[in-house]
Amino acid sequence: MRYGVQLYKCMACGHQFRGKAYLSKEKLWKAYREQKQTIRELAARFDVSESTIKRLLKDVSVEWKNPIGDSRRVIINIDATYFGRNAGVLVALDSQVGKPLYIKHIKHEHASDYVETVREIEKNGFLIDGIIIDGMLSLFKEFSSYKVQMCQYHMCAIIRRKITKNPKLEAGVELQGLMRTLKDSKKTDLSCRFNMWKEKWKTFLNQRTVNSETGKTFYTHQRIRSAMLSIEFFLPWLFTFEDVEGMPNTNNKIEGLFTDLKRNLNNHSGMSTQNRKRFIDGFFLALNGD
């Protein structure tokens, strides 16, 4: 004690201080990231001011580091998620072990970002056996040299957007029923039933209506036709997983990871852009044990 104030010394690093126990940035960052406590809760827990918590967190250095593959073979899930306008993150995940291989902070989603992701993963020494994506059309051409799986969940979501959850027309009801069996179907079986559906409703789908003002014609049932054309386009990639051992048929694993990330971020509303990026980097580094 000196002048009525308790003095302290850290026996590990020799740091001397007085008043309150020394609060390390590392300890604070771990509590902030893992224990889902707000700035106010952390200030109360460590008996310091909120401004001190913010200052210490700002000084924490967190930067994503790409893991090295050493010629390890991987199947990757790639997807992006957003936290508001012009703020998102693109992630590539090792499908077999659930660990991130590459992340990139983005404002908007472009095919070039996905191409860069795959190139960076290969540059870091991984051998890619397959890629699961969720429907950006240009990527199927960009990744033509890889085994590509179209996420079956997103396929169903695309059809649902086009014909709604409760289609009124019988052709739409049948098509929706067909898509509900997608996850339990084999490629040959679904292709056969889809072709039978197209043949049954061929006349109906080709019906045209005349625009009374211009005299031009257009397809009467455009939304159902659009759904049909989407299935025709994605069908070659809906069952790639049948030919690649260990490949999942959906991007559910990465979607679950995004849900976890957002749940953690929601505990710290009002973050600055820079703090959010550091938090996201820290979240994914922790998954890799860093």
Side-chain angles (χ1 to χ4, degrees), residues 64-86:
W64 167 256
K65 300 174 184 176
N66 294 322
I68 304 302
D70 295 326
S71 298
R72 182 162 65 86
R73 310 199 73 88
V74 292
I75 296 170
I76 58 175
N77 296 77
I78 311 180
D79 201 5
T81 191
Y82 292 87
F83 314 101
R85 184 177 297 178
N86 299 330

Side-chain angles (χ1 to χ4, degrees), residues 7-242:
L7 305 184
Y8 296 89
K9 179 179 181 178
C10 175
M11 301 307 293
C13 68
H15 179 77
Q16 297 183 32
F17 51 96
R18 63 181 181 174
K20 297 167 185 174
Y22 176 64
L23 175 58
S24 71
K25 293 181 290 186
E26 292 72 20
K27 180 180 179 180
L28 177 61
W29 176 255
K30 186 175 181 180
Y32 183 65
R33 178 175 51 79
E34 295 180 3
Q35 297 174 15
K36 305 176 183 178
Q37 292 182 305
T38 64
I39 297 292
R40 179 174 298 177
E41 290 170 337
L42 289 168
R45 173 182 172 182
F46 294 112
D47 192 24
V48 295
S49 67
E50 293 182 27
S51 60
T52 297
I53 295 293
K54 292 178 181 178
R55 175 175 53 79
L56 289 172
L57 287 174
K58 186 177 181 181
D59 291 340
V60 175
S61 177
V62 180
E63 187 177 354
W64 167 256
K65 300 174 184 176
N66 294 322
I68 304 302
D70 295 326
S71 298
R72 182 162 65 86
R73 310 199 73 88
V74 292
I75 296 170
I76 58 175
N77 296 77
I78 311 180
D79 201 5
T81 191
Y82 292 87
F83 314 101
R85 184 177 297 178
N86 299 330
V89 62
L90 178 68
V91 179
L93 194 71
D94 183 336
S95 182
Q96 294 163 312
V97 299
K99 292 186 176 183
L101 301 176
Y102 184 81
I103 72 168
K104 180 181 181 181
H105 296 280
I106 58 174
K107 291 185 176 181
H108 306 285
E109 205 170 347
H110 300 291
S112 58
D113 295 318
Y114 284 80
V115 173
E116 177 188 328
T117 297
V118 170
R119 286 176 179 167
E120 287 297 319
I121 290 172
E122 290 182 323
K123 188 190 298 183
N124 291 327
F126 292 92
L127 304 176
I128 299 175
D129 285 338
I131 305 172
I132 303 99
I133 54 179
D134 63 5
M136 188 181 288
L137 300 183
S138 59
L139 289 180
F140 293 91
K141 180 179 179 180
E142 294 284 358
F143 294 154
S144 59
S145 60
Y146 299 93
K147 295 285 188 179
V148 177
Q149 169 67 41
M150 167 63 180
C151 174
Q152 291 188 351
Y153 173 82
H154 282 85
M155 182 74 258
C156 293
I158 289 170
I159 302 305
R160 188 164 57 245
R161 286 198 300 269
K162 293 179 183 296
I163 63 176
T164 76
K165 291 177 66 175
N166 298 296
K168 306 301 181 188
L169 298 174
E170 188 180 350
V173 172
E174 289 188 9
L175 186 60
Q176 185 187 67
L178 179 66
M179 294 312 296
R180 283 176 176 166
T181 67
L182 175 60
K183 64 183 180 66
D184 300 314
S185 299
K186 297 291 186 182
K187 182 176 182 178
T188 52
D189 176 48
L190 188 111
S191 298
C192 179
R193 288 187 289 122
F194 177 57
N195 288 330
M196 290 172 62
W197 177 88
K198 286 196 299 180
E199 188 61 32
K200 177 180 178 179
W201 297 103
K202 182 177 180 180
T203 302
F204 174 82
L205 293 168
N206 287 331
Q207 287 178 6
R208 301 183 73 91
T209 299
V210 179
N211 186 312
S212 58
E213 295 182 359
T214 64
K216 294 182 179 180
T217 64
F218 57 90
Y219 285 109
T220 305
H221 309 291
Q222 292 182 16
R223 297 184 72 84
I224 297 180
R225 278 188 61 87
S226 178
M228 175 191 70
L229 294 173
S230 292
I231 296 172
E232 285 183 339
F233 178 85
F234 290 117
L235 190 56
W237 297 282
L238 282 174
F239 295 91
T240 307
F241 73 96
E242 292 181 350

